[in-house]
Amino acid sequence: MMLGRGTLGTAAERFEVIFDAIGEAIFLHDDSGRIVEINDAAARMYGLAEDELDRVDIGQLSAGVPPYTQADAIALVAAARAGHPQDFEWHARRRNGELFWVRVRLSAMSIGGRTYLLAVVDDIGERKRFQEAVDANMRDLVALNTKLENAHVQLLQSEKMASIGQLAAGVAHEINNPVGYVYSNLGSLENYLRDFLAMLDAYEKAEPAMDAEARAAVQALRRELDIDYLRQDVATLLSETREGVNRVRKIVQDLKDFSHAGSGEEWRWADLHAGLESTLNIVANELKYKTTVVREYGELPQIYCLPSQINQVFMNLLVNAAHAIETRGVVTVRTGTAGREVWVEVEDTGCGIPPDHLKRIFDPFFTTKPVGKGTGLGLAVSYSIVEKHRGRIEVRSEVGKGTAFRVWLPIEAPAETGSAA
Ligand SMILES: Nc1ncnc2c1ncn2[C@@H]1O[C@H](COP(=O)(O)OP(=O)(O)OP(=O)(O)O)[C@@H](O)[C@H]1O
Ligand SMILES: [Mg+2]
């Protein structure tokens, strides 16, 4: 508002002084982009010399600067011209080519019957840098949070394992005793039975020497009791019983392994490739009909571990891989080193694991296999063995494509685990 009072010079002079004292850059330009007026702040901000104003148009300072395009600039100008003032952030270009961030308020105004565009521009480089720093901090925080969440899940998993482990140890201990005497009594029973049968044979041989009445009574009883059938069946019953007891003993052993009840094995330096090879031999029967085994071994140093327990982990993974393959497939065994750790991976081209099962596969007794084929302890035992070694197991799986289990183990497990076999 020009009041034009007294001694302050002409309105034009006062305008000039105020215009140039304003901190924001101000451009007045026409439709074609020709600059009509700028203030000192604009010249400073954009690095414009007074004598080049004739040669520079607004497009050279702003249009088509990534990430914006010429078309973006045209759209903003058109909107402002249509009577809608625009307020936006923009990437601008100084005369020396340097790009910098600005906030622009763009509006149209009519002077002497012609329409001009007035751009009021703030340099927001500082704020942008601050914003970027805040964003970067935020990203770091989010990443940290994800890590924390993962650690928390792992902690929950190992706590769950620990309490199930205690339970398992208790159950194993309770079952162990009765199973022990059932097993050893079964051995005695077999021996006694053999003796009884030998005795029976002897009686049979002696039959012709009996008097007729006694012989008839013995033969009638033999028919009635169906002794010939019993004699056959008793052997089958005993061998089935022995098999059943063996299965229970195996489960109890698995439970004991799972619950860290030590096998008494010593920690020592071992070559994992040798362990893998002997385990592959042991499970050859499971693998040979359906699978081709491919080895992709890297260089491995010896690692400090409980070798037979580590082999048990390999065995579980290999048997699972074989079970996952229905007719024919490939089992790839890979190894490698990364820093202070080694890894062993068993990948199969089998059925894969559905996502809702993935969370549960390490739970004891989680199995999708028919009774007798799986107890669901393989991975639970493997998990606790690997944990005892301060390692970890990673799984990748795609339903219908296959699964890969990767076991990470430190080359030398921290000392405090060294004694807790
Ligand atoms: N390589 C694999 N491909 C597909 N599914 C798998 C694989 N490995 C494990 N699983 C799934 O995880 C379940 C649990 O495996 P785990 O080895 O613990 O028990 P199991 O093999 O069923 O029985 P066990 O090992 O005690 O004989 C399996 O029943 C199966 O559903
Ligand atoms: Mg298994």
Side-chain angles (χ1 to χ4, degrees):
M1 186 78 46
M2 301 289 175
L3 295 178
R5 276 196 191 121
T7 54
L8 282 173
T10 65
E13 276 169 350
R14 290 200 300 276
F15 169 77
E16 182 92 27
V17 169
I18 295 168
F19 190 54
D20 283 332
I22 291 174
E24 282 127 326
I26 298 177
F27 293 88
L28 191 67
H29 62 91
D30 65 13
D31 267 351
S32 66
R34 196 174 63 88
I35 296 173
V36 183
E37 196 78 66
I38 67 170
N39 65 353
D40 281 359
R44 271 197 310 276
M45 195 181 287
Y46 283 79
L48 282 161
E50 207 165 312
D51 59 358
E52 58 178 351
L53 283 181
D54 291 344
R55 286 176 279 121
V56 179
D57 69 27
I58 198 77
Q60 283 166 283
L61 303 176
S62 58
V65 182
Y68 305 110
T69 63
Q70 183 94 21
D72 294 327
I74 290 172
L76 286 163
V77 168
R81 265 209 62 120
H84 308 292
Q86 302 291 304
D87 189 334
F88 54 92
E89 288 185 359
W90 196 257
H91 218 180
R93 179 186 284 122
R94 293 191 222 276
R95 283 302 282 154
N96 66 8
E98 186 191 340
L99 299 181
F100 68 118
W101 280 99
V102 291
R103 174 187 173 194
V104 182
R105 274 154 293 169
L106 189 65
S107 53
M109 55 180 51
S110 179
I111 304 173
R114 286 195 60 183
T115 303
Y116 293 89
L117 286 148
L118 181 75
V120 180
V121 181
D122 271 328
D123 184 337
I124 55 167
E126 197 57 41
R127 204 198 79 202
K128 275 276 180 196
R129 275 189 290 281
F130 182 70
Q131 182 71 43
E132 267 157 29
V134 169
D135 288 350
N137 273 342
M138 196 60 180
R139 277 193 300 276
D140 288 352
L141 273 176
V142 168
L144 199 66
N145 197 36
T146 313
K147 266 194 202 159
L148 264 174
E149 273 173 11
N150 286 344
H152 182 63
V153 168
Q154 265 182 19
L155 204 68
L156 279 183
Q157 178 79 357
S158 48
E159 270 176 10
K160 190 168 80 177
M161 289 297 176
S163 56
I164 294 172
Q166 279 177 353
L167 196 75
V171 173
H173 182 78
E174 290 300 319
I175 299 179
N176 203 33
N177 222 5
V179 166
Y181 61 71
V182 168
Y183 185 78
S184 85
N185 289 359
L186 204 60
S188 310
L189 265 178
E190 276 172 331
N191 286 337
Y192 294 172
L193 195 74
R194 229 188 342 268
D195 295 348
F196 277 127
L197 291 177
M199 195 69 202
L200 201 60
D201 283 343
Y203 278 128
E204 272 173 9
K205 283 212 184 80
E207 263 175 36
M210 292 180 186
D211 67 59
E213 194 184 338
R215 190 164 62 226
V218 167
Q219 284 175 348
L221 191 60
R222 172 180 311 154
R223 269 195 304 281
E224 193 188 326
L225 297 179
D226 206 355
I227 292 298
D228 293 336
Y229 170 75
L230 295 193
R231 178 175 264 186
Q232 276 174 29
D233 199 38
V234 87
T236 318
L237 285 180
L238 272 178
S239 89
E240 279 177 14
T241 307
R242 180 171 285 281
E243 203 185 300
V245 173
N246 275 334
R247 212 185 283 164
V248 175
R249 275 167 31 112
K250 163 87 170 54
I251 293 174
V252 171
Q253 187 55 47
D254 280 350
L255 282 174
K256 278 207 220 155
D257 292 342
F258 169 71
S259 63
H260 296 223
S263 58
E265 189 191 4
E266 291 283 316
W267 286 74
R268 60 180 177 81
W269 290 95
D271 172 4
L272 292 189
H273 286 147
L276 273 170
E277 285 308 316
S278 65
T279 311
L280 279 164
N281 278 336
I282 294 169
V283 299
N285 241 329
E286 297 275 354
L287 291 168
K288 68 183 171 196
Y289 300 109
K290 299 190 288 188
T291 69
T292 312
V293 177
V294 175
R295 294 168 175 77
E296 292 176 9
Y297 289 174
E299 294 270 323
L300 284 190
Q302 295 215 329
I303 76 157
Y304 195 66
C305 63
L306 297 163
S308 75
Q309 297 203 10
I310 293 297
N311 288 347
Q312 201 185 331
V313 174
F314 297 155
M315 182 157 89
N316 285 325
L317 298 183
L318 289 166
V319 171
N320 282 350
H323 284 172
I325 291 170
E326 202 170 346
T327 45
R328 271 225 72 83
V330 181
V331 172
T332 310
V333 185
R334 295 191 188 89
T335 62
T337 315
R340 308 277 316 135
E341 290 179 309
V342 301
W343 53 265
V344 175
E345 182 172 288
V346 176
E347 182 174 26
D348 63 64
T349 57
C351 57
I353 305 173
D356 57 324
H357 284 180
L358 266 184
K359 300 188 279 297
R360 303 171 57 200
I361 53 174
F362 293 103
D363 290 355
F365 300 111
F366 174 79
T367 182
T368 53
K369 297 174 189 172
V371 178
K373 188 151 191 203
T375 36
L377 283 172
L379 285 178
V381 169
S382 305
Y383 184 96
S384 72
I385 292 173
V386 170
E387 193 185 43
K388 198 191 298 183
H389 286 77
R390 297 291 153 100
R392 62 189 186 282
I393 305 182
E394 293 170 353
V395 197
R396 319 187 290 275
S397 187
E398 207 176 317
V399 173
K401 289 244 169 93
T403 306
F405 282 87
R406 182 178 282 209
V407 177
W408 288 87
L409 294 167
I411 292 171
E412 188 165 10
E416 72 269 19
T417 63
S419 58

